[in-house]
Amino acid sequence: MRVVIQRVSEASVTIEGRITADIQKGLLILVGVEGADTNEDINWLCAKIAKLRIFGDDNGVMNLSVTEADGDIIVVSQFTLHAATKKGNRPSYIKAAKPDVAIPLYEDFVKTLQQETGKVIQTGEFGADMKVALVNDGPVTILIDSKNKE
């Protein structure tokens, strides 16, 4: 499972002209599910994200987690995070999980992150054509792959 975590001063998701998620300060998390992912990947990532100290404290030092900084969270599914680009110019998505595997894992990711942070997690819609708007604060962007824990 791969996530791209962006610290934002605002972010939103729009589907068919309707805003489905909207936050101010917090995290926009893009999640790519791989066929080999399990609940172990979800638990490890959510624990890591909940404790990730990427918000500034009173001295401007990145010492606070999203909960300590009273930030909000949007999670958006994005299978293109598993694009293989080694050969040719057309990305291959062979490692990305099929919807019957990806949807339950994505939903479990959202539930687990909610439990870890105590936050209501806003989301996009799995498989929808989404317009994601954000103002990256910093910029701070972090990529984490659960297959690279060591």
Side-chain angles (χ1 to χ4, degrees), residues 23-44:
I23 64 170
Q24 294 303 304
K25 176 179 73 175
L27 300 176
L28 172 67
I29 303 172
L30 306 174
V31 179
V33 180
E34 181 178 321
D37 289 334
T38 66
N39 281 330
E40 181 181 322
D41 296 289
I42 291 169
N43 294 336
W44 182 80

Side-chain angles (χ1 to χ4, degrees), residues 78-97:
Q78 189 171 357
F79 76 94
T80 60
L81 291 178
H82 287 288
T85 58
K86 188 173 183 179
K87 292 171 137 184
N89 294 318
R90 181 183 306 242
S92 168
Y93 303 105
I94 197 160
K95 281 189 151 188

